[in-house]
Amino acid sequence: MAVPARTCGASRPGPAQTACPWPGCGPQPGPGARRPASGPPRPLSLLLSPLLLLPLLAAPGASAYSFPQQHTMQHWARRLEQEVDGVMRIFGGVQQLREIYKDNRNLFEVQENEPQKLVEKVAGDIESLLDRKVQALKRLADAAENFQKAHRWQDNIKEEDIVYYDAKADAELDDPESEDVERGSKASTLRLDFIEDPNFKNKVNYSYTAVQIPTDIYKGSTIILNELNWTEALENVFMENRRQDPTLLWQVFGSATGVTRYYPATPWRAPKKIDLYDVRRRPWYIQGASSPKDMVIIVDVSGSVSGLTLKLMKTSVCEMLDTLSDDDYVNVASFNEKAQPVSCFTHLVQANVRNKKVFKEAVQGMVAKGTTGYKAGFEYAFDQLQNSNITRANCNKMIMMFTDGGEDRVQDVFEKYNWPNRTVRVFTFSVGQHNYDVTPLQWMACANKGYYFEIPSIGAIRINTQEYLDVLGRPMVLAGKEAKQVQWTNVYEDALGLGLVVTGTLPVFNLTQDGPGEKKNQLILGVMGIDVALNDIKRLTPNYTLGANGYVFAIDLNGYVLLHPNLKPQTTNFREPVTLDFLDAELEDENKEEIRRSMIDGNKGHKQIRTLVKSLDERYIDEVTRNYTWVPIRSTNYSLGLVLPPYSTFYLQANLSDQILQVKLPISKLKDFEFLLPSSFESEGHVFIAPREYCKDLNASDNNTEFLKNFIELMEKVTPDSKQCNNFLLHNLILDTGITQQLVERVWRDQDLNTYSLLAVFAATDGGITRVFPNKAAEDWTENPEPFNASFYRRSLDNHGYVFKPPHQDALLRPLELENDTVGILVSTAVELSLGRRTLRPAVVGVKLDLEAWAEKFKVLASNRTHQDQPQQCGPNSHCEMDCEVNNEDLLCVLIDDGGFLVLSNQNHQWDQVGRFFSEVDANLMLALYNNSFYTRKESYDYQAACAPQPPGNLGAAPRGVFVPTVADFLNLAWWTSAAAWSLFQQLLYGLIYHSWFQADPAEAEGSPETRESSCVMKQTQYYFGSVNASYNAIIDCGNCSRLFHAQRLTNTNLLFVVAEKPLCSQCEAGRLLQKETHSDGPEQCELVQRPRYRRGPHICFDYNATEDTSDCGRGASFPPSLGVLVSLQLLLLLGLPPRPQPQVLVQASRRL
């Protein structure tokens, strides 16, 4: 752990500590310990001169006050401990609640969580769920291959001949500027009615499929119409699958032509801007269409690459990176006379979101200069791919070269590195409009089993940077049934609003042959996908029998979590998967690294560990014991784990059979149900019930009063043994209602809370009851009504003794308003129940202290009073020690909790700062406590945070007044026909000088429904108690501003009692420790890739087939741009003439089929 430099003389405790200048302070030896005969000489800076000693011995108005001795402060600490313990014994009712449980022993049974059996059962249930989806996938893939094989190609097919539901038609009809309004009114486009379906969180139509076609593909082309024709037959297979498995969600066929057909039909979620969705760029499609890849991208940055061409290259590289997934590895280099990496990555790195971000930022800094040296670029790339000392995909190997053209074929390089086996494919991209001979580029690709592409303009970037997947799919197609294996994806955000999902994918192959006796087709038709919502998988896991701190999690071969209670992305970008590593979902340590590795390897295991956990409100760190048990989920790449605290080995299950037999109708007639009725709250205390799914017909509500009303109304109709209700949840709720009511009857009702300055007493249970007494205290109750989601509840279970929780305060918010509101401090403790040899913690009880009253009481308890009404008398001739009451102008006394937050103070002006991190109250003293090991710091990163969008900066790269179009604008036909087209022409003229083109934000172009927050990384810092348990005195050395302090842990609490001199001056202000969350770039990626986390790639790899035909390797002709043509095109567009379909898309599609 990094420790800040010590300042102001603060030092860590040790036997040589000499900061304390008088007897009785400093670390005290225990009974029987030998004191050293003498210590080392004190440093001159720590010796107190008479001038410095004077203010310590003489306080204003009292000539004989001295800093309290250690035994005095220990006495105060004991008084504080006794006061807290006494109040909790009287009002907390821990012992009484134990007796109540034992008295009602006939109403519940004690059940055991057997980790191995539990985790194996859940893994089996998940396997069965996914297996049903696999069977549906196989039926779809087989049917699709047969339908396409039987389909007869039609050259003269027309739009009117095809009837289908265009998922974007409704949005286009609603858009008066859309070019497709007239087209949407054609009879060939169906208009459907939809019904709301909660399973899909959408309106759907089960009688039809829907079709989505990317914006940059012409719907009326012959290829697209033939694709629509044969895929229509899939509709019946989709419906038959749903009949066999009604739990199926989206069934999707993503075609290699870009067409998406999905079932059931639903309107497309239209963005405000242009829709750039293309199924071929979705993570699930890429994973299903090819095996993992090792890719090296080399970019020509010689002097001939300038202006628009270089900008096209930068954009192309970024788009290429978006075709890679976490199973792939990549590096990017630029070259002229020599080659060098564009970023700090010196070897292939995993193509995860954060690494790709580094590449994309680095690519923008490429500058064109020098001469072209293909040899340098290719040698660098081959060296990268031959490096076997690093983690990589070890499957498809490829080099992607972007250049504006050249004459060198570098045959000698290929002979040296790649021939005769040709294990590395070479893809070449001719970028920009020029008159260079492209034959060498074509030869390079054709001679190395690759493909040659042309990118003359920005409109060709997306299609040409993803076409290489067709080539990589050839070995899969040729492998036939061997390659027909279902793969399950990472977690990602569903584009149709289903939330977080995983998708099972299966490739669909073209089984046709070009002619009798000819080789079979090598092209992939597309990928079948079936979604599984994470919520459906979660329903298979035990929810409430594991207790508040037990949970189930699952990870994949990359170590990314599929299930975890901490998987809570605040914002998602459906272009990228949600990749949260298990070691980032929890606080990383060596034990968890070992568990993660074992799970990735597909092993079973069990391990009990001591580890750190973060509190639910992310303010505290607790050191706890946890039992980890894990098994693989067969037939998948996932592994399932179960985490249980030792106290959750057993749990209570209500047994209300006797009552149920006595009550036929309805459940509201059961004993103890009456104590859930609001009419009982005045005498029995207010009851909050956890908003759980007790019954299927129970209407949920965020308002607990309304939820309770809905619950009571339903219970008036439901019988106790109703099959629509979860009897375990329902019966435990009613059991705990009666248990907590008896606590009111036996303990709370007869006590005067005001006597001990209490605002409320409360009890919360595993069964979902939170009872707050008296009823009026519920008005100020802000804790979560679900005990399992309440920070005080979970922390109390993990900590012995009394846990103090001050009100949460942010440094940016205004202080507490004590005049208008009564502020309370929660004190809670777990109820440990022993039944035979079985121990469990089924409830938490506590009190809520009145802040102002207890602050006054704190001053009295930490004073030298012999009686409550007799403060210490100290005359001019007597020697007295300062205390926290009489000398509060000179002496600071505080209680700080284990997270470093202020709980109580003897300074009235600090009462409104209760709940703040103590460094914000007294930075100098908090740093001394940290430096003296009273606190330890833990830093971690939250990779799921959401940040407000940054306002776009003025890059200053374009001339003032020149319109800079985005990628979306280029694809928007309405924009082309607007007056902005002239601005484009103006931009073309400036293009040779200014290079501020194509700064497009894909997320914005894809169409966020509104200006959304973006995903970001936040650095979190928490503090927790360090290794010092005994009392301790020290000096904060700061010359004439030095301060003495004493600190001591209060037994059986999470409090630190600190007594310190108030600072006399501020000339030696210490650096302030930070606790609040701050924006961060995360750990340095360049360092992280040097020690990558353990992972395994998919078990299958198809990168070679001896029968592959590599003769189709790309053809093209470059042409010089004509200024006359450009001007004519601009004039035609401005006159409003409709543009012709993009020929580039049609050429690529025709090549594919």
Side-chain angles (χ1 to χ4, degrees):
M1 179 192 70
V3 179
R6 300 188 183 102
T7 58
C8 289
S11 58
R12 293 189 175 274
Q17 176 70 35
T18 59
C20 188
W22 57 79
C25 65
Q28 300 299 305
R34 293 183 58 191
R35 294 178 181 269
S38 62
R42 294 173 182 162
L44 184 62
S45 62
L46 294 183
L47 294 176
L48 297 178
S49 66
L51 290 175
L52 179 58
L53 188 61
L54 188 60
L56 300 179
L57 299 178
S63 60
Y65 282 111
S66 65
F67 191 81
Q69 298 188 51
Q70 183 163 355
H71 66 82
T72 301
M73 292 179 282
Q74 289 173 337
H75 172 65
W76 296 346
R78 285 193 296 272
R79 291 170 66 176
L80 289 166
E81 293 164 359
Q82 292 167 2
E83 185 72 11
V84 172
D85 186 65
V87 169
M88 290 298 291
R89 286 181 182 274
I90 296 172
F91 292 94
V94 173
Q95 185 58 40
Q96 294 90 332
L97 192 54
R98 289 196 189 104
E99 296 301 323
I100 293 171
Y101 274 110
K102 291 178 180 178
D103 292 344
N104 292 272
R105 186 65 183 82
N106 63 311
L107 296 181
F108 61 84
E109 299 172 353
V110 179
Q111 303 290 348
E112 182 178 2
N113 283 316
E114 299 180 70
Q116 195 64 40
K117 289 184 179 179
L118 265 177
V119 75
E120 287 179 353
K121 179 185 182 303
V122 175
D125 291 343
I126 295 175
E127 180 189 357
S128 299
L129 171 71
L130 298 183
D131 184 65
R132 294 196 298 272
K133 317 307 176 189
V134 168
Q135 300 309 314
L137 268 175
K138 291 180 177 178
R139 289 192 293 268
L140 281 169
D142 290 344
E145 290 172 349
N146 292 329
F147 291 152
Q148 195 275 339
K149 186 176 182 181
H151 174 254
R152 296 185 63 182
W153 179 267
Q154 300 180 47
D155 286 323
N156 299 322
I157 194 170
K158 299 179 180 178
E159 286 189 76
E160 291 79 3
D161 300 332
I162 304 299
V163 178
Y164 68 99
Y165 172 65
D166 184 348
K168 297 198 291 186
D170 292 337
E172 290 166 350
L173 286 171
D174 292 338
D175 182 5
E177 297 182 1
S178 173
E179 294 289 330
D180 291 328
V181 171
E182 294 182 5
R183 196 173 298 162
S185 63
K186 290 185 179 181
S188 59
T189 301
L190 297 172
R191 302 300 299 272
L192 304 180
D193 295 323
F194 301 94
I195 58 172
E196 193 71 37
D197 190 319
N199 294 321
F200 287 89
K201 302 178 183 178
N202 220 325
K203 293 181 177 181
V204 299
N205 185 307
Y206 284 111
S207 300
Y208 294 91
T209 58
V211 171
Q212 190 272 351
I213 301 174
T215 304
D216 52 347
I217 291 181
Y218 176 46
K219 299 176 184 179
S221 73
T222 303
I223 293 160
I224 297 302
L225 294 176
N226 274 279
E227 190 84 2
L228 293 173
N229 192 15
W230 77 259
T231 58
E232 182 183 5
L234 290 173
E235 204 162 81
N236 293 329
V237 187
F238 285 140
M239 288 189 278
E240 176 60 20
N241 274 345
R242 182 175 180 271
R243 189 190 65 78
Q244 294 188 32
D245 182 4
T247 66
L248 280 177
L249 296 176
W250 301 122
Q251 303 175 66
V252 187
F253 173 60
S255 168
T257 62
V259 173
T260 305
R261 187 180 285 272
Y262 59 90
Y263 176 87
T266 190
W268 191 248
R269 293 168 69 94
K272 284 187 177 180
K273 277 203 167 189
I274 207 71
D275 180 19
L276 296 185
Y277 180 94
D278 189 322
V279 68
R280 295 166 296 182
R281 304 186 79 85
R282 297 291 283 147
W284 65 269
Y285 183 94
I286 294 171
Q287 180 170 323
S290 64
S291 294
K293 301 174 279 294
D294 286 325
M295 176 187 291
V296 179
I297 302 173
I298 54 176
V299 185
D300 180 1
V301 292
S302 59
S304 62
V305 178
S306 60
L308 177 58
T309 301
L310 181 61
K311 202 66 179 179
L312 286 171
M313 286 186 180
K314 293 178 179 179
T315 306
S316 298
V317 172
C318 293
E319 291 291 331
M320 178 69 71
L321 289 169
D322 284 339
T323 67
L324 302 178
S325 72
D326 290 77
D327 290 332
D328 304 321
Y329 281 75
V330 65
N331 201 358
V332 182
S334 61
F335 70 90
N336 36 43
E337 300 92 343
K338 62 179 181 178
Q340 60 183 8
V342 298
S343 70
C344 58
F345 300 144
T346 58
H347 55 74
L348 292 171
V349 297
Q350 187 181 18
N352 58 39
V353 174
R354 292 191 288 277
N355 287 341
K356 288 192 288 187
K357 180 182 178 183
V358 173
F359 282 127
K360 290 178 180 180
E361 292 174 352
V363 162
Q364 300 307 317
M366 292 190 306
V367 178
K369 61 181 179 179
T371 59
T372 303
Y374 286 160
K375 184 173 182 178
F378 277 108
E379 285 184 338
Y380 178 89
F382 280 114
D383 287 338
Q384 290 277 299
L385 293 172
Q386 289 182 354
N387 185 358
S388 59
N389 297 323
I390 58 170
T391 304
R392 57 183 188 179
N394 285 320
C395 192
N396 285 293
K397 298 178 180 62
M398 67 201 69
I399 298 173
M400 325 297 278
M401 184 181 71
F402 292 88
T403 181
D404 63 340
E407 298 178 357
D408 190 2
R409 301 192 178 198
V410 289
Q411 182 172 337
D412 57 328
V413 176
F414 298 134
E415 290 175 346
K416 176 181 177 181
Y417 289 96
N418 204 35
W419 294 355
N421 296 325
R422 291 174 170 80
T423 56
V424 177
R425 297 181 188 269
V426 175
F427 295 85
T428 55
F429 298 81
S430 174
V431 183
Q433 296 180 347
H434 49 73
N435 56 1
Y436 299 132
D437 181 13
V438 299
T439 304
L441 298 181
Q442 294 173 352
W443 180 88
M444 291 179 195
C446 295
N448 293 280
K449 298 171 64 174
Y451 209 92
Y452 164 74
F453 299 96
E454 290 184 355
I455 303 179
S457 63
I458 192 169
I461 290 177
R462 284 170 61 86
I463 190 70
N464 284 303
T465 53
Q466 66 195 25
E467 287 291 307
Y468 76 94
L469 292 173
D470 286 347
V471 178
L472 299 189
R474 292 172 181 170
M476 291 180 63
V477 178
L478 295 172
K481 292 184 177 179
E482 184 184 353
K484 303 282 285 187
Q485 299 190 35
V486 174
Q487 297 186 67
W488 291 95
T489 67
N490 296 327
V491 177
Y492 69 96
E493 177 80 4
D494 173 49
L496 290 172
L498 200 57
L500 296 181
V501 299
V502 292
T503 299
T505 65
L506 193 62
V508 179
F509 301 150
N510 191 333
L511 302 183
T512 61
Q513 293 181 340
D514 295 334
E518 296 290 333
K519 293 182 180 180
K520 67 177 183 179
N521 202 300
Q522 305 184 122
L523 295 178
I524 189 170
L525 286 177
V527 177
M528 281 293 176
I530 288 184
D531 289 345
V532 178
L534 288 197
N535 287 335
D536 290 343
I537 300 178
K538 289 178 184 177
R539 291 190 185 99
L540 301 176
T541 65
N543 286 330
Y544 301 103
T545 59
L546 304 181
N549 290 316
Y551 57 92
V552 171
F553 71 98
I555 66 174
D556 63 15
L557 295 179
N558 280 303
Y560 299 145
V561 294
L562 164 72
L563 296 176
H564 199 286
N566 294 335
L567 179 62
K568 303 173 184 176
Q570 301 300 309
T571 180
T572 51
N573 173 8
F574 73 79
R575 287 169 56 93
E576 297 285 359
V578 179
T579 52
L580 178 66
D581 197 283
F582 169 64
L583 298 178
D584 295 323
E586 304 191 0
L587 293 177
E588 182 177 357
D589 59 38
E590 291 182 0
N591 287 315
K592 291 176 183 175
E593 287 181 14
E594 181 183 331
I595 292 169
R596 177 181 177 274
R597 176 183 285 265
S598 179
M599 295 179 71
I600 290 173
D601 287 338
N603 300 324
K604 293 183 179 181
H606 176 84
K607 190 179 183 68
Q608 183 177 90
I609 66 174
R610 290 287 291 174
T611 187
L612 298 178
V613 298
K614 200 179 297 183
S615 67
L616 199 63
D617 56 12
E618 299 182 331
R619 286 160 60 86
Y620 299 93
I621 296 286
D622 291 311
E623 187 176 5
V624 300
T625 300
R626 293 288 188 264
N627 293 308
Y628 282 75
T629 308
W630 60 94
V631 297
I633 302 175
R634 291 186 297 271
S635 304
T636 73
N637 291 332
Y638 302 131
S639 183
L640 187 76
L642 171 67
V643 181
L644 270 182
Y647 53 79
S648 292
T649 302
F650 301 97
Y651 63 94
L652 299 184
Q653 181 171 352
N655 180 13
L656 307 180
S657 55
D658 291 341
Q659 295 185 32
I660 290 174
L661 291 174
Q662 298 171 12
V663 181
K664 294 182 179 180
L665 289 171
I667 205 169
S668 59
K669 301 302 181 184
L670 281 174
K671 180 185 175 183
D672 296 332
F673 186 86
E674 61 181 292
F675 300 119
L676 280 175
L677 303 177
S679 58
S680 69
F681 289 176
E682 196 58 40
S683 61
E684 312 299 331
H686 192 100
V687 174
F688 297 92
I689 67 171
R692 300 174 181 174
E693 193 175 345
Y694 300 100
C695 299
K696 294 179 181 178
D697 294 337
L698 178 59
N699 294 325
S701 174
D702 293 332
N703 183 296
N704 199 257
T705 301
E706 184 178 341
F707 181 74
L708 178 60
K709 178 184 175 183
N710 297 340
F711 176 80
I712 293 172
E713 290 177 352
L714 184 61
M715 293 303 104
E716 295 287 351
K717 309 171 186 176
V718 174
T719 58
D721 57 350
S722 172
K723 293 183 179 180
Q724 70 154 310
C725 295
N726 185 320
N727 287 335
F728 172 80
L729 293 182
L730 197 55
H731 294 177
N732 275 29
L733 181 78
I734 295 172
L735 170 69
D736 286 355
T737 301
I739 293 286
T740 55
Q741 187 277 331
Q742 292 180 48
L743 183 63
V744 176
E745 191 174 308
R746 296 190 189 186
V747 182
W748 297 345
R749 191 181 294 157
D750 298 330
Q751 298 289 349
D752 182 8
L753 302 186
N754 293 328
T755 304
Y756 285 85
S757 306
L758 303 181
L759 299 176
V761 288
F762 59 89
T765 70
D766 278 358
I769 291 292
T770 302
R771 189 179 292 273
V772 180
F773 185 89
N775 183 39
K776 64 179 181 180
E779 298 174 4
D780 300 319
W781 187 259
T782 58
E783 303 302 318
N784 197 308
E786 170 56 82
F788 285 13
N789 292 336
S791 183
F792 82 88
Y793 191 85
R794 295 172 66 159
R795 293 204 70 216
S796 297
L797 294 175
D798 273 333
N799 291 275
H800 293 284
Y802 308 123
V803 178
F804 282 69
K805 179 179 179 288
H808 174 64
Q809 276 208 79
D810 192 302
L812 300 178
L813 302 178
R814 62 182 181 181
L816 296 173
E817 298 181 357
L818 297 178
E819 296 181 0
N820 301 325
D821 300 313
T822 304
V823 177
I825 298 171
L826 290 190
V827 187
S828 56
T829 186
V831 178
E832 189 161 283
L833 190 61
S834 295
L835 300 170
R837 297 183 178 180
R838 297 169 294 186
T839 301
L840 61 160
R841 298 176 185 173
V844 168
V845 296
V847 301
K848 191 174 185 180
L849 309 179
D850 184 326
L851 170 60
E852 290 189 69
W854 271 79
E856 293 292 347
K857 184 178 293 190
F858 168 59
K859 289 193 287 186
V860 173
L861 293 171
S863 73
N864 295 323
R865 287 194 188 195
T866 54
H867 297 89
Q868 185 172 356
D869 298 325
Q870 296 182 5
Q872 174 185 223
Q873 300 296 323
C874 191
N877 299 322
S878 59
H879 174 76
C880 296
E881 295 178 356
M882 291 190 288
D883 68 29
C884 300
E885 181 187 25
V886 174
N887 309 98
N888 64 347
E889 293 185 2
D890 304 296
L891 201 64
L892 171 67
C893 303
V894 292
L895 289 177
I896 313 172
D897 70 14
D898 56 330
F901 298 96
L902 179 62
V903 176
L904 285 175
S905 173
N906 73 331
Q907 306 295 311
N908 293 18
H909 70 276
Q910 290 181 353
W911 292 356
D912 62 357
Q913 300 183 67
V914 165
R916 286 193 174 178
F917 186 57
F918 191 60
S919 186
E920 298 165 9
V921 180
D922 193 327
N924 187 273
L925 183 53
M926 184 63 194
L927 182 61
L929 293 172
Y930 172 72
N931 283 341
N932 284 280
S933 298
F934 283 101
Y935 286 96
T936 300
R937 180 169 59 190
K938 182 67 177 178
E939 294 179 342
S940 59
Y941 294 93
D942 178 8
Y943 294 100
Q944 305 177 88
C947 298
Q950 296 293 325
N954 183 6
L955 300 179
R960 185 179 301 274
V962 176
F963 177 68
V964 183
T966 65
V967 175
D969 292 324
F970 271 100
L971 298 176
N972 191 334
L973 299 180
W975 177 83
W976 278 97
T977 56
S978 70
W982 181 253
S983 295
L984 174 63
F985 177 61
Q986 184 185 22
Q987 181 67 62
L988 287 170
L989 299 179
Y990 281 106
L992 296 176
I993 303 174
Y994 300 101
H995 45 84
S996 62
W997 276 52
F998 316 133
Q999 298 291 337
D1001 181 0
E1004 183 183 359
E1006 292 273 4
S1008 52
E1010 60 280 329
T1011 303
R1012 301 196 311 176
E1013 294 179 320
S1014 59
S1015 176
C1016 62
V1017 180
M1018 300 296 286
K1019 183 178 181 179
Q1020 295 183 340
T1021 305
Q1022 287 90 12
Y1023 292 82
Y1024 60 101
F1025 280 154
S1027 57
V1028 176
N1029 291 315
S1031 60
Y1032 181 73
N1033 288 342
I1035 186 171
I1036 305 174
D1037 185 15
C1038 202
N1040 291 332
C1041 297
S1042 297
R1043 299 172 65 187
L1044 293 165
F1045 75 90
H1046 166 90
Q1048 178 174 341
R1049 295 265 295 273
L1050 294 190
T1051 305
N1052 209 34
T1053 73
N1054 67 325
L1055 297 180
L1056 181 69
F1057 176 42
V1058 182
V1059 179
E1061 291 180 306
K1062 294 181 70 173
L1064 298 177
C1065 52
S1066 59
Q1067 70 184 40
C1068 197
E1069 275 295 324
R1072 175 171 295 183
L1073 296 177
L1074 296 178
Q1075 188 274 335
K1076 66 178 182 179
E1077 196 174 52
T1078 57
H1079 188 274
S1080 170
D1081 292 330
E1084 180 56 54
Q1085 287 297 118
C1086 302
E1087 297 176 5
L1088 287 182
V1089 297
Q1090 302 303 322
R1091 49 183 192 281
R1093 287 171 172 166
Y1094 181 72
R1095 67 173 294 277
R1096 291 180 62 186
H1099 304 300
I1100 56 175
C1101 173
F1102 298 96
D1103 61 341
Y1104 173 78
N1105 191 288
T1107 63
E1108 178 184 348
D1109 179 8
T1110 61
S1111 60
D1112 181 11
C1113 53
R1115 295 288 184 270
S1118 183
F1119 59 93
S1122 167
L1123 183 61
V1125 170
L1126 288 174
V1127 173
S1128 301
L1129 175 62
Q1130 299 298 326
L1131 293 175
L1132 288 173
L1133 291 171
L1134 289 173
L1135 291 174
L1137 297 180
R1140 297 183 61 187
Q1142 299 181 30
Q1144 181 67 28
V1145 177
L1146 299 183
V1147 168
Q1148 298 296 340
S1150 62
R1151 179 191 62 76
R1152 189 184 301 107
L1153 294 178

